[in-house]
Amino acid sequence: MTYSVAVVDDHILLSQAIGGLVEGFEQFTVLYTCKNGQELLDKFKNPKNIPDIVLMDVNMPILNGIETTAHLYEHYPQVKVLALSIEEDDSTILQMLRAGAKGYLMKDVRKSELYNALLEVIEKGFHHTNTVTKVLVDSLSEKESPQAILKERELEFIKHACTEMTYKEIADVMFLSPKTIEGYRNAIFEKLNLRNRTGLVIYAIKNKIFVP
Amino acid sequence: MTYSVAVVDDHILLSQAIGGLVEGFEQFTVLYTCKNGQELLDKFKNPKNIPDIVLMDVNMPILNGIETTAHLYEHYPQVKVLALSIEEDDSTILQMLRAGAKGYLMKDVRKSELYNALLEVIEKGFHHTNTVTKVLVDSLSEKESPQAILKERELEFIKHACTEMTYKEIADVMFLSPKTIEGYRNAIFEKLNLRNRTGLVIYAIKNKIFVP
DNA sequence: TAGTCAATCAGGGATTTTCCCCTTAAGCAT
DNA sequence: ATGCTTAAGGGGAAAATCCCTGATTGACTA
């Protein structure tokens, strides 16, 4: 019995190279490779193109790994998604797992670990490295994910705060009084334990609220 | 005649996968793969380990692609470095080329393009994609690369400015008067055309002066 | 159905930090 | 000497920060 694998990565060379590795594994065969989530979903329209496992990158244009995984989890629950990314920050990993990924591999694993992961996902239904397990454990004790405590309007303000605009200018573009903006800022500083706007900018970038 | 290739990438899976691709090319064979520049230089101590071409990632821990390439260019000029990276910002590409890389491939190229690039580097001594050529042309007309106009102490200040410290606190840790810090800040604002500290933080992150 | 409660928006006033001029002094090189 | 760089400062305006108060609204609740 051989299992089919689809590789999704916007870096064509990498998807081809990884596909090559997978072809080298006896029980696995590469069905096709795609450049992004949208392309993958398009392929799925033909039932012949539904693989057993999807090896999915996280950062992709158009439809990223998290959104794509969530969509697959809902509409094709039999397809097992194994994330494969250079991103190793906790929130990304958690987001992928929440979206329904059966495992998360950093791109610095060895070929043999990829093989094990594929096998385990088929046999046990999941594969979690030590790093991932740690993230999962941490997520239990830790406070709710940072983004969750911020409201929509606050997030909008934060994005503006990551520009050269003064608070007064931000107030203008958000159609609010500068004093209300101050209110947002104070609430955010309090919640996130920040001292000043610089801290807010760094926080926003670290947590991908604002992408420079 | 076959040519030997060394693959340097901190993501083991990728270096193995890319190595697999290269092994598939008739005229080329993989001598070994390394996790970073330091490891590569250690290998070079044995003359048997000096390849014809090095496929080099840019972002690596310990000794990065730019430093490593510069070192090879000085000490082993016969070795041809072909950069292979996901980074596609102009300054990174320029830095690699200045360090002596014979070409710069984005990781989203096709397998066949990698093959062409390897062949061309052997035959013509270089391989430049359209993107890279454009960067080179732009670099002629454009002002000197942003980093170049900033002095060592200014860069140090910028890194501190990307924290929650006030300018007074930065002055303390840099053993300078707050007024001197102001002088730095004004000079930088002038040079980089910035309005305020937030702009500076964003600039620093975009240009990798400060990594969040 | 009025009353409490929480969330949102806004303001007054004080203090600190940032920003922007413009000047000076020491060290160093041509 | 004359310029150049680096470090430092004075003074003032603008922005950001901090603390405290009030008005409006919608929602639940006794």
Side-chain angles (χ1 to χ4, degrees):
Chain A
M1 171 83 191
T2 69
Y3 299 96
S4 55
V5 177
V7 182
V8 191
D9 196 318
D10 56 324
H11 301 294
I12 300 173
L13 190 65
L14 299 188
S15 57
Q16 289 190 327
I18 290 167
L21 286 184
V22 173
E23 281 290 355
F25 303 148
E26 254 186 46
Q27 298 95 322
F28 299 94
T29 180
V30 176
L31 205 53
Y32 51 82
T33 62
C34 309
K35 285 200 295 293
N36 59 62
Q38 190 56 57
E39 231 179 66
L40 182 74
L41 297 187
D42 289 347
K43 287 270 190 191
F44 269 51
K45 284 172 187 160
N46 181 344
K48 280 188 203 154
N49 282 334
I50 298 183
D52 296 308
I53 297 182
V54 175
L55 271 177
M56 177 102 67
D57 187 28
V58 176
N59 297 311
M60 290 181 297
I62 305 177
L63 199 60
N64 71 35
I66 295 164
E67 295 160 341
T68 311
T69 303
H71 187 274
L72 293 188
Y73 191 60
E74 189 177 348
H75 299 281
Y76 307 91
Q78 78 279 19
V79 176
K80 289 164 177 54
V81 174
L82 189 55
L84 186 58
S85 175
I86 19 176
E87 287 292 331
E88 41 186 310
D89 65 281
D90 293 7
S91 86
T92 306
I93 297 176
L94 266 181
Q95 282 183 75
M96 272 309 274
L97 296 179
R98 286 215 186 96
K102 307 298 184 200
Y104 192 108
L105 295 176
M106 319 298 162
K107 278 183 181 158
D108 63 351
V109 301
R110 281 156 210 294
K111 189 173 160 178
S112 57
E113 284 178 68
L114 175 62
Y115 180 59
N116 281 336
L118 287 170
L119 271 187
E120 266 195 46
V121 166
I122 289 292
E123 286 167 8
K124 299 200 308 188
F126 66 93
H127 169 87
H128 293 322
T129 60
N130 290 340
T131 316
V132 172
T133 309
K134 188 182 171 310
V135 170
L136 280 171
V137 172
D138 285 354
S139 77
L140 294 176
S141 60
E142 238 172 314
K143 64 277 167 197
E144 196 46 38
S145 86
Q147 248 91 328
I149 58 172
L150 293 171
K151 307 181 186 117
E152 204 44 53
R153 204 78 177 150
E154 288 175 339
L155 288 171
E156 194 186 331
F157 159 71
I158 292 178
K159 281 171 198 146
H160 288 308
C162 293
T163 71
E164 288 193 326
M165 279 192 282
T166 65
Y167 287 138
K168 187 172 170 326
E169 289 166 340
I170 296 174
D172 285 346
V173 303
M174 285 182 72
F175 300 107
L176 289 171
S177 147
K179 279 295 183 179
T180 306
I181 293 295
E182 260 194 67
Y184 283 155
R185 187 196 34 129
N186 289 337
I188 294 167
F189 280 14
E190 172 72 23
K191 282 195 251 191
L192 304 179
N193 211 271
L194 300 171
R195 280 178 68 192
N196 51 40
R197 186 162 165 181
T198 305
L200 177 59
V201 172
I202 301 295
Y203 175 90
I205 291 171
K206 272 191 186 161
N207 291 276
K208 300 177 208 295
I209 294 170
F210 175 80
V211 181
Chain B
M1 172 85 191
T2 70
Y3 299 96
S4 55
V5 178
V7 182
V8 192
D9 196 318
D10 56 323
H11 300 295
I12 300 173
L13 189 64
L14 299 188
S15 57
Q16 288 189 327
I18 291 166
L21 286 184
V22 174
E23 280 291 354
F25 303 148
E26 255 186 44
Q27 297 95 323
F28 299 94
T29 180
V30 177
L31 206 54
Y32 50 82
T33 64
C34 310
K35 284 199 296 291
N36 59 62
Q38 190 56 57
E39 230 178 65
L40 182 74
L41 296 186
D42 288 347
K43 287 270 190 191
F44 269 50
K45 284 174 187 158
N46 181 345
K48 279 188 206 155
N49 282 334
I50 298 184
D52 297 307
I53 296 182
V54 175
L55 270 177
M56 178 102 67
D57 187 29
V58 176
N59 297 312
M60 291 181 295
I62 306 176
L63 199 59
N64 71 34
I66 295 163
E67 294 160 342
T68 311
T69 303
H71 187 274
L72 293 187
Y73 192 60
E74 188 177 349
H75 299 281
Y76 307 91
Q78 78 280 19
V79 176
K80 289 163 176 57
V81 174
L82 190 54
L84 186 57
S85 176
I86 19 175
E87 288 293 330
E88 40 187 309
D89 65 281
D90 293 7
S91 86
T92 306
I93 296 176
L94 267 181
Q95 281 183 74
M96 272 309 272
L97 295 179
R98 286 215 185 94
K102 306 299 183 198
Y104 192 108
L105 295 176
M106 320 296 164
K107 277 181 181 160
D108 63 351
V109 300
R110 280 156 211 293
K111 189 173 160 180
S112 58
E113 283 178 68
L114 174 62
Y115 180 59
N116 282 336
L118 287 170
L119 271 188
E120 266 195 45
V121 165
I122 288 293
E123 286 167 9
K124 300 200 308 188
F126 65 93
H127 169 88
H128 293 322
T129 60
N130 291 341
T131 317
V132 171
T133 309
K134 188 182 171 309
V135 170
L136 281 171
V137 172
D138 285 353
S139 77
L140 295 176
S141 59
E142 240 172 312
K143 65 275 166 199
E144 196 45 41
S145 87
Q147 247 90 330
I149 59 173
L150 293 172
K151 303 180 190 118
E152 204 44 53
R153 214 82 221 275
E154 287 175 339
L155 288 171
E156 195 186 330
F157 157 72
I158 291 178
K159 281 171 198 146
H160 289 307
C162 294
T163 70
E164 289 195 323
M165 281 191 281
T166 65
Y167 288 139
K168 190 176 167 320
E169 288 166 340
I170 295 173
D172 285 346
V173 303
M174 286 181 72
F175 300 108
L176 290 171
S177 148
K179 278 296 183 178
T180 307
I181 292 297
E182 263 194 61
Y184 283 160
R185 191 210 35 188
N186 289 336
I188 294 167
F189 280 14
E190 172 72 22
K191 282 193 255 192
L192 303 179
N193 210 272
L194 300 170
R195 279 178 68 190
N196 51 41
R197 186 162 166 180
T198 305
L200 178 58
V201 173
I202 301 295
Y203 175 90
I205 291 172
K206 272 191 186 162
N207 291 277
K208 299 177 209 295
I209 295 169
F210 174 79
V211 181

